[in-house]
Structure formats: structure tokens, C-alpha cells
């Protein structure tokens, strides 16, 4: 089918808005990191760490991450199914409803309304909005798949469908609550059941929002960028089903050493370790797809982002299972090690893949050549250095913190007071903030490059624009 | 073992059996070529 029949208009809008929310997320991330090193930067009641932190996490995962999911899924589903989007009107509605939901979330969080469930902080009216949003999105993608003109379903479509169904189930179960007023509700679960459901949601949100969709993008944009197919489609299918099978049971690794029944914790631990296999199934498939193509790491900036992204995924999925082992968890849980893990995943894995996907998309959906490849390369180094600085400083801080918390005198009393351990954190938090700033500059360069491409980029047909990939 | 545990394990085992069947089907000799077609077709999706 001719590419002009695909609907790119809506992809453009989702790209633009997700980039904006990404900028907000990273900016607020930098602000909260500075609030940790200098508490005078807290301006109560609205601009405090407590209120801005959930704005950062939600803007990062739902504004940036999910925004890019909307853009790329709508693009990929049309191409992979060789058919235009089922309902562009519904997608347009979805765009504005998405922005309304993000804005409503930010406003209510700033006002201090929260369920206090991490990654699900928004109160019930916003839950209703999220459900409508997701149903509309899922319907459009699934209907497009149903009326497809391509018999063979590529692996990205499988990951997309898993994410659509998975997020719906997780969100609905975790959102079960009894509203008592417009902005207050109580969870339908209590005690350890509540914690268990919450982290079943929490970790599967990692699976269905921060793993399956970036994998769908990786499997699509890597071969598209290199021009050679992935190493093994069958391996990707096995890795897919085993990932789904194993992720479901791992949520309780967030609750090790808590009153949640021991056998649930052990099960979560076992399945977390087993998760290394399907995760590395994709990593190895990615690396083997580069057989004979490694020179493209030098010549093609998209490949650089994608391969570094999958490498961070590989590291993340070795570190994660380690953290899920009881003895290791006893050491690092509650310490700064954990945010370092998270940001290798979000700033490294997820965002690298999102940047690559957008760089791939923009020339094609706007029909313009990328404004500057050197700037794209510069951004690559800025975000890589920024992310590594961020994570390494906090890994070191986390180990130090854990060591100090557990240090004991011969008489069994604790060697350090809690305040003493906090004071030791400051140099590392400064370094983290600097890493964050470097990353932020990288994002600004990214946006500048995109704006210049759209405004002043050389006009080219979508196919010719693609030639500028090197 | 109470009924709930048997059910829990039963579901886990049931899912595992389904997974094994998927592996056997995907890697069956008969489907070797068919299983790889999609990766070539996606490259030419104009
Ligand atoms: C320059 C970039 C970034 C900076 C400076 C930054 C900074 C921060 C800071 C200071 C925290 C609080 C950590 C704490 O409570 O100890 C945090 C938490 C978090 N950030 Fe970021 N962040 C950045 C990028 C991102 C991105 C792009 C995402 C998502 C796509 C993200 C997702 C999260 C999440 C999920 C948490 C919660 C961590 C936890 O529960 O321990 N961050 N970030
Ligand atoms: C095999 C895969 C993975 C396993 C087994 C795993 C394991 C873990 C464990 C055990 C924790 C809890 C640490 C603690 O609080 O003591 C954790 C936290 C977290 N991980 Fe992973 N991880 C994996 C992959 C990922 C990926 C790919 C991401 C993507 C960004 C990610 C994002 C997070 C986030 C956001 C949290 C923080 C939850 C919180 O706020 O407490 N993880 N992970």
C-alpha cells in the first residue's frame, strides 16, 4: 500500500505532545533533585518535594512514556498491518483526552490530592478518565489489527496487544476503591492484600508500560534502521510468551521481609530470577541482529541509541533479579540504590528507545530531512553521560547508606545515627543533580533539533527523508 | 494443602503447560520457514 494512505497526522500530534511532557518530566526531575540537596528550594504548599515528585514520576511514565507509546503504536500498527488506522476521529479524541488527563493529574497532585499508592496516585475521577482513554486507544489498535491486510503478525504486534490488555487488567484491579467524595476514595483492599495488589500492579506496570512497548519499538525500529531483519522471529515469540508467563508473579519482590506471606515472597523471588531468560532472549536477539552490521554503530545514530537502549535493558534485567533475592534486598531496599536502578531503566532503556523512535519517525511523518545529525550525536553523548552520572552516583550512595545503616558496635548498638547517614548522601545527591542537568541539556538539544527539522528541514518525500538516516 | 493453594498451583501449572505447547509449536520443524516470514515482510511495509 502507498505510504500516503497511512494516517500520520495523528502520529505527529502525539509525538509533539509526548515530547512536551517529556521535557516537563525531566525538568521537574531536575528540580526535585535540587530540592533534595537544598531544602530551601521547597516552596510550600504547592512546590514542595512531596507534591512535585509524583508529578515527575507520572509525567515521566504516563506523559512521556505512554505519549510515545500512543505515537509509535499508531504508526507501527498501520505499517505492520498495511492498513490505515481504523478510526482517525477516535484517535483525535484520544489525543485531547490524553492531554486533559495529564493536566488534571498534574493539577490535582499539586493541590495535594493523592491516593498515596505509588504510580497510581491520582484520585478516582482521573482513574475514570484513564480507563476511557485506554479503552479508546485499545479499540482503535485492535480494530486496525482485525482489518489488517497482512497475514503474518510481526513480534511488535504481539507486544502491543499484550500491553493493551495487560495495562487494562492491572489498572482496573488496582483502581478498585470506594469513593467518599469527589477527591477522596479508599482502596477496596486492606492490609497486606492491598500492598500485594498494589505491587502486583506496580511491577507489571514496569512490564506492560516500560518493557513490552519499548520492546515493540525496538523490534520494529532496529531492523527498519539497519535495513536487515532481526536474527530470529521464533526466538522473539518464545521470549514474548515466557516474559508474559513469568512477569505476573513477580510483584511481591517489592515486599520482601514484609508481613506478606512468605511463600508469595519466595515465589516472586524465583520468578524474578527466571525472568533473566526471556529478557535476555530479546537482548541476544538484538545483538545477533547486528551480525555483520556493527559498523552501523559508527555510521547510523539511530542504531547507537537502539543498541545502547537494549544494553541498558540487559543490565536492568540482571540487576532487577539480583535485587529480588532476599539477602541482597535486605541490603539495598530503602536505599538510594533503588532510584539508580529505576533511572537506568527510565533514562537509559525506555528513553533511549523513545528518542530513537522519534528520530526515526519525524523525518517520515513530516517529509523533511533531519536538521542535524551531529546534534543527534551530541544529544546521544549528553544523555548517556547524564544517565551514567545519575545512576553511578546513587549506586555508590546506596551501598554507602546500606553499609552505614547496618554497621554495629561490638555491644550491638548502631554505629551511626540516621542523621549521620543522611549527611553522607549530600555529595552524591549533588553529583546526581549535575548528571540530571547534563541529561536535561540533552533533551533540550533533542527538541531544538526536532523543531528545526519541522520548521527549516529540507523538504523531501517520506522515503527520501528516510535516506538521511546515516 | 488447602483448596486455594491447589487452585493457585493448578493455574500456574496450567499456564506452564500452555507455554510448553507454544514452544513446541513455534519450534516444530514443519513451521520453521513460516515462523520467520514476518521478519522479512515487515521490512517491506510501504
Ligand atoms: C534529568 C532526568 C531526571 C532527573 C534529574 C530525575 C530525578 C529524580 C529524582 C530526584 C527522583 C526522586 C528520588 C528519590 O525519591 O530519592 C526521581 C524519582 C523517579 N523518577 Fe526521575 N529523574 C529524571 C528522569 C526520569 C525519567 C525520564 C523518568 C521516566 C520515564 C523518571 C522516572 C522516575 C521514577 C519512576 C521515580 C520514582 C523512583 C522511586 O520510587 O524510587 N525519571 N527522579
Ligand atoms: C527482570 C526484570 C526486573 C526485575 C526482576 C526487577 C526487580 C526489581 C526489584 C526487586 C525492585 C525493588 C527494589 C527495592 O525496592 O528493594 C525494583 C524496583 C523498580 N524497578 Fe525493576 N526490575 C526489573 C526490570 C525493570 C525495568 C526494565 C524497569 C524499567 C524502567 C524497572 C523499573 C523499576 C521501578 C520503576 C522500580 C521502583 C519501584 C518503587 O518505586 O519502589 N525494573 N525492580
Amino acid at each position: 500500500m502507498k505510504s500516503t494512505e497511512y494516517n500520520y497526522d495523528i502520529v505527529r500530534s502525539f509525538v509533539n505532545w509526548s515530547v512536551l511532557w517529556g521535557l516537563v518530566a525531566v525538568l521537574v526531575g531536575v528540580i526535585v533533585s535540587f530540592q533534595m540537596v537544598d531544602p530551601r528550594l521547597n516552596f510550600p504548599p504547592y512546590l514542595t518535594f512531596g507534591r512535585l515528585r509524583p508529578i515527575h514520576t507520572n509525567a515521566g511514565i504516563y506523559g512521556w512514556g505512554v505519549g510515545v507509546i500512543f505515537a509509535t503504536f499508531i504508526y507501527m500498527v498501520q505499517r505492520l498491518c498495511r492498513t490505515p488506522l481504523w478510526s482517525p476521529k477516535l484517535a483525535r479524541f484520544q489525543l485531547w483526552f490524553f492531554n486533559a488527563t495529564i493536566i488534571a493529574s498534574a493539577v490535582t497532585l499539586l493541590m495535594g490530592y493523592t491516593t498515596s499508592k505509588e504510580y497510581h496516585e491520582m484520585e478516582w475521577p482521573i482513574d475514570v478518565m484513564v480507563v476511557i482513554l485506554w479503552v479508546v486507544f485499545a479499540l482503535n489498535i485492535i480494530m486496525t489489527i482485525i482489518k489488517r491486510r497482512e497475514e503474518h503478525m510481526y513480534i511488535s504486534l504481539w507486544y502491543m496487544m499484550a500491553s493493551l490488555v495487560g495495562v487494562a487488567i492491572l489498572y482496573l484491579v488496582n483502581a478498585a476503591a470506594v469513593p467518599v467524595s469527589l477527591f477522596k476514595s479508599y482502596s477496596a483492599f486492606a492490609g497486606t492484600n492491598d500492598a500485594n495488589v498494589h505491587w502486583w500492579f506496580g511491577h507489571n506496570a514496569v512490564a506492560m508500560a516500560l518493557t513490552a512497548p519499548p520492546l515493540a519499538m525496538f523490534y520494529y525500529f532496529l531492523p527498519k534502521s539497519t535495513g536487515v531483519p532481526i536474527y530470529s522471529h521464533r526466538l522473539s515469540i518464545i521470549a514474548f510468551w515466557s516474559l508474559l508467563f513469568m512477569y505476573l508473579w513477580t510483584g511481591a519482590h517489592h515486599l520482601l521481609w514484609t508481613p506478606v506471606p512468605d511463600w508469595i515472597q519466595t515465589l516472586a523471588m524465583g520468578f524474578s530470577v527466571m525472568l533473566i531468560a526471556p529478557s535476555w532472549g530479546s537482548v541476544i536477539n538484538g545483538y545477533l541482529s547486528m551480525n555483520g552490521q556493527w559498523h552501523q554503530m559508527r555510521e547510523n545514530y539511530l542504531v547507537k541509541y537502539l543498541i545502547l537502549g537494549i544494553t541498558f535493558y540487559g543490565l536492568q534485567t540482571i540487576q532487577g533479579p539480583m535485587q529480588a533475592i532476599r539477602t541482597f534486598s535486605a541490603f539495598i531496599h530503602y536505599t538510594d540504590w533503588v532510584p539508580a536502578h529505576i533511572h537506568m531503566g527510565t533514562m537509559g532503556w525506555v528513553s533511549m528507545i523513545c528518542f530513537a523512535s522519534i528520530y526515526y519517525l519525524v523525518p517520515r511523518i513530516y517529509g523533511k530531512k533531519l536538521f542535524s545529525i551531529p546534534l543527534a550525536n551530541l544529544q546521544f553523548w549528553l544523555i548517556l553521560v547524564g544517565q551514567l552520572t545519575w545512576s553511578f552516583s546513587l549506586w555508590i550512595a546506596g551501598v554507602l547508606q546500606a553499609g552505614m545503616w547496618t554497621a554495629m558496635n561490638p555491644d550491638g548498638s548502631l554505629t551511626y545515627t540516621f542523621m549521620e547517614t543522611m549527611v553522607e548522601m549530600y555529595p552524591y545527591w549533588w553529583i546526581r543533580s549535575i548528571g540530571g542537568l547534563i541529561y536535561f541539556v540533552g533533551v533540550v538539544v533533542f527538541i531544538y533539533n526536532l523543531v528545526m527539522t519541522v520548521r527549516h528541514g529540507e523538504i523531501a518525500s517520506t522515503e527520501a527523508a528516510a535516506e538521511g538516516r546515516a | 494443602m488447602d483448596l486455594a493453594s491447589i487452585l493457585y498451583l493448578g493455574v500456574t501449572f496450567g499456564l506452564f503447560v500452555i507455554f510448553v505447547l507454544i514452544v513446541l509449536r513455534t519450534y516444530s520443524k514443519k513451521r520453521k520457514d513460516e515462523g520467520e516470514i514476518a521478519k522479512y515482510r515487515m521490512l517491506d511495509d510501504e
Side-chain angles (χ1 to χ4, degrees), chain A residues 14-26 55-72 98-99 102 209-210 217 345-359 379 383 439 443 446-447 450:
Chain A
F14 273 116
V15 165
N16 299 347
W17 282 99
S18 61
V19 168
L20 178 74
W21 297 129
L23 181 71
V24 171
V26 171
I55 292 189
H56 165 63
T57 56
N58 284 296
I61 300 174
Y62 302 119
W64 165 235
V66 171
V68 179
I69 290 175
F70 289 159
T72 51
F98 163 64
N99 288 325
I102 298 288
L210 303 179
M217 298 174 208
T346 53
M347 293 162 80
W349 157 235
V350 177
S351 296
M352 282 264 187
I353 299 295
C354 290
F355 290 132
S357 307
I358 292 178
Y359 271 131
Q379 184 213 343
I383 61 170
Y439 196 92
V443 175
F446 172 62
I447 295 177
L450 294 185

Side-chain angles (χ1 to χ4, degrees), chain A residues 73-313:
Chain A
F73 277 27
I74 292 176
Y75 180 86
M76 291 189 294
V77 77
Q78 301 185 77
R79 310 286 303 208
L80 289 172
C81 295
R82 295 173 201 265
T83 185
L85 190 65
W86 180 62
S87 170
K89 279 206 182 104
L90 209 55
R92 195 42 65 187
F93 164 78
Q94 182 199 337
L95 172 78
W96 293 111
F97 208 67
F98 163 64
N99 288 325
T101 309
I102 298 288
I103 292 168
S105 307
V107 171
T108 52
L109 287 173
L110 268 185
M111 289 167 71
Y113 295 113
T114 170
T115 62
S116 78
K117 282 190 171 187
E118 203 182 9
Y119 310 125
H120 204 146
E121 287 92 348
M122 280 73 80
E123 268 296 353
W124 70 270
I126 293 176
D127 276 346
V128 175
M129 293 175 82
V130 171
V131 171
I132 296 173
L133 187 62
W134 202 260
V135 167
V136 164
F137 174 51
L139 184 70
N140 219 346
I141 298 288
I142 290 172
M143 288 308 292
T144 310
I145 295 178
I146 289 176
K147 70 182 189 79
R148 72 186 190 279
R149 292 190 211 146
E150 168 61 60
E151 182 193 348
H152 297 276
M153 299 225 342
Y154 185 60
I155 182 63
S156 299
L157 287 174
W158 291 100
Y159 276 110
M160 284 157 67
M161 287 193 294
S163 165
L164 294 176
V165 177
V167 169
I169 297 172
L170 296 167
Y171 205 87
L172 282 177
V173 175
N174 196 45
V178 184
V180 289
S181 70
L182 185 58
F183 286 117
K184 184 73 208 143
S185 63
Y186 290 98
S187 171
F189 313 99
T192 50
N193 280 342
D194 193 34
N196 207 11
V197 169
H198 177 204
W199 283 110
W200 167 78
F201 161 84
H203 206 78
N204 284 295
V206 166
M208 296 302 159
L210 303 179
T211 295
L215 279 175
M217 298 174 208
F218 175 77
Y219 275 120
Y220 183 82
F221 293 110
L222 182 73
K224 284 295 201 177
S225 304
T226 56
V228 288
I230 55 162
Y231 170 70
S232 166
H233 194 252
R234 286 182 304 160
L235 174 60
S236 72
I237 295 284
I238 301 300
F240 167 79
W241 285 108
S242 45
L243 191 92
L244 289 201
F245 173 60
M246 285 166 199
Y247 245 112
L248 281 177
W249 322 91
T250 57
H253 64 213
H254 292 265
L255 298 165
L256 299 177
W257 306 102
T258 66
V260 165
D262 233 33
W263 66 269
I264 296 185
Q265 297 180 31
T266 308
L267 195 79
M269 193 167 99
F271 273 84
S272 300
V273 173
M274 277 152 59
L275 254 184
I276 296 179
S279 310
W280 272 77
S282 290
V283 178
I284 289 173
N285 213 344
Y287 286 156
L288 290 180
S289 307
M290 291 294 292
N291 269 346
Q293 300 298 325
W294 285 104
H295 58 93
Q296 293 210 33
M297 281 290 276
R298 267 197 317 273
E299 299 153 6
N300 185 340
Y301 68 99
L302 288 174
V303 174
K304 224 157 39 186
Y305 278 92
L306 291 162
I307 291 298
L308 252 287
I310 200 78
T311 302
F312 279 129
Y313 176 64

Side-chain angles (χ1 to χ4, degrees), chain A residues 1 3 6 79-80 82 150 152-154 220 223-224 227-235 237-238 241-242 245 249 263 267 463, chain B residues 5 8-9 11-12 15-16 19 22-24 26-29 31-46:
Chain A
M1 125 168 232
S3 60
Y6 296 128
R79 310 286 303 208
L80 289 172
R82 295 173 201 265
E150 168 61 60
H152 297 276
M153 299 225 342
Y154 185 60
Y220 183 82
K224 284 295 201 177
V228 288
I230 55 162
Y231 170 70
S232 166
H233 194 252
R234 286 182 304 160
L235 174 60
I237 295 284
I238 301 300
W241 285 108
S242 45
F245 173 60
W249 322 91
W263 66 269
L267 195 79
E463 281 73 28
Chain B
S5 318
Y8 199 102
L9 281 177
V11 171
T12 315
L15 287 175
F16 182 68
F19 173 62
I22 292 174
V23 176
L24 291 178
T26 309
Y27 273 97
S28 77
K29 279 216 181 83
R31 299 177 42 86
K32 189 165 179 236
D33 293 335
E34 206 190 318
E36 297 294 342
I37 294 178
K39 76 178 187 194
Y40 301 109
R41 304 259 322 152
M42 68 81 67
L43 277 177
D44 163 41
D45 62 359
E46 288 312 326

Side-chain angles (χ1 to χ4, degrees), chain A residues 305-345:
Chain A
Y305 278 92
L306 291 162
I307 291 298
L308 252 287
I310 200 78
T311 302
F312 279 129
Y313 176 64
L315 296 174
Q316 185 83 350
T317 53
I318 291 202
Q319 186 181 58
M322 267 164 52
Q323 293 167 182
I325 294 171
R326 269 201 191 85
T327 33
F328 195 71
S329 164
F331 193 63
I332 53 91
H333 190 54
Y334 300 125
T335 72
D336 275 356
W337 174 282
V338 180
H341 164 73
I342 295 162
H343 286 81
M344 175 162 71

